[in-house]
Amino acid sequence: MAPRSFWKGYLKLSLVTCPVAMTPATTENEKVRFHTLNRKTGNRVVSQYVDAVSGKSVDEDDEVKGYQRGEDDFVLLEDEELEAVGLESTRTIDIDMFVEADSIRWIWYDKPHYLVPDDPVGEEAFSVIRDAMASTGTVGISRLVMYRRERAVMLEPRGKGIVLWTLRYGDEVRKPEEFFRNIDDGDTDPELMRLVTTLIEERSKPWDPDMVGDPVQARLLDIISAKKKGRKRPAKAKAEEAERPSNVVNIMDALRKSISSEKKKKPKA
């Protein structure tokens, strides 16, 4: 059974509108989660806001957002003021513009969501917007209130549906030039390139989601399962800190040894 949509609204392009539903493309439902308990009573521990000076708890009605402009000096903003600067509609994805699909670099992508038509009557409008983007090699750009913040979003045609990506804010992305400018951009030794390419070919495999499995979570589930059955599973010894690799004096020799090692690992036909 498909998961329930967490957002319903409308997809709009000029005068064309259709009802849509959206669901996050990723999930953390299977992640092992823990509660913090009081060891003495076994009761859950709850968190609360406390005044940093008086040490007294703060009632929810007295909580207010503040922008720091100096030491112990804040500009207070009420909820009504914060809401006033947001979008008028939080339920319409109004496509403002289109850009070439490959012009937005991966670093701007934040969270993916599946967007689907939510009404058979509006399915034709949804499909024509999707197919037109696919045929022109473009993606749509809009804005939407999600996760309590107004966000720029990108609509990408994908198969029968549309993937809606929230995009990172402009001030969140650092320029790569700041970090890569001092890396030598001289020509690479062709023989070294050949050897590394051989290593890549030796280690190439078809993509499989199991490649990004979470071994730590698997071990946690083993521990939890053992405790449920009344067995105490001994904790795994802490891994020793990895030794710092010695400087490679001869890269060519190291690569040749690596390739030789890879060939020995391969099962004989």
Side-chain angles (χ1 to χ4, degrees), residues 7-10 22 86-93 143-146 149:
W7 184 94
K8 289 190 176 185
Y10 297 89
M22 181 163 48
L87 289 175
E88 292 182 6
S89 174
T90 61
R91 290 293 167 187
T92 300
I93 305 168
R143 303 192 73 82
L144 187 64
V145 174
M146 295 179 67
R149 296 184 71 181

Side-chain angles (χ1 to χ4, degrees), residues 86-87 90 110 143-153 166-169 171-172:
L87 289 175
T90 61
D110 184 21
R143 303 192 73 82
L144 187 64
V145 174
M146 295 179 67
Y147 308 110
R148 299 184 180 180
R149 296 184 71 181
E150 182 179 322
R151 298 171 181 271
V153 297
T166 55
L167 299 176
R168 302 186 191 280
Y169 295 100
D171 57 2
E172 290 180 339

Side-chain angles (χ1 to χ4, degrees), residues 66-77:
Y67 176 83
Q68 188 168 8
R69 60 184 175 186
E71 188 174 355
D72 298 326
D73 184 16
F74 298 86
V75 178
L76 303 186
L77 294 169

Side-chain angles (χ1 to χ4, degrees), residues 187-218:
D187 294 335
T188 303
D189 186 319
E191 179 62 13
L192 292 178
M193 275 289 290
R194 185 187 68 79
L195 292 171
V196 173
T197 301
T198 300
L199 266 179
I200 291 173
E201 291 170 352
E202 292 282 347
R203 294 192 173 201
S204 293
K205 297 179 180 179
W207 162 253
D208 188 324
D210 288 341
M211 292 177 178
V212 288
D214 187 348
V216 173
Q217 171 143 310

Side-chain angles (χ1 to χ4, degrees), residues 202-254:
E202 292 282 347
R203 294 192 173 201
S204 293
K205 297 179 180 179
W207 162 253
D208 188 324
D210 288 341
M211 292 177 178
V212 288
D214 187 348
V216 173
Q217 171 143 310
R219 289 195 289 269
L220 280 173
L221 290 172
D222 286 344
I223 293 172
I224 292 169
S225 177
K227 282 182 171 284
K228 281 181 178 178
K229 296 175 182 176
R231 301 195 309 267
K232 187 173 181 180
R233 188 175 184 272
K236 188 177 180 181
K238 187 177 179 180
E240 295 181 7
E241 188 174 346
E243 292 183 13
R244 185 181 180 88
S246 58
N247 292 332
V248 178
V249 177
N250 191 314
I251 300 177
M252 196 78 75
D253 286 347

Side-chain angles (χ1 to χ4, degrees), residues 199 203 255-266:
L199 266 179
R203 294 192 173 201
L255 285 172
R256 284 172 176 156
K257 288 178 182 176
S258 297
I259 293 170
S260 176
S261 175
E262 290 294 320
K263 288 179 178 177
K264 287 178 182 177
K265 289 180 185 176
K266 269 195 167 184

Side-chain angles (χ1 to χ4, degrees), residues 93-109:
I93 305 168
D94 192 350
I95 305 179
D96 301 319
M97 66 191 81
F98 296 89
V99 300
E100 291 183 8
D102 57 0
S103 65
I104 303 179
R105 292 180 299 158
W106 61 269
I107 199 167
W108 293 97
Y109 293 14

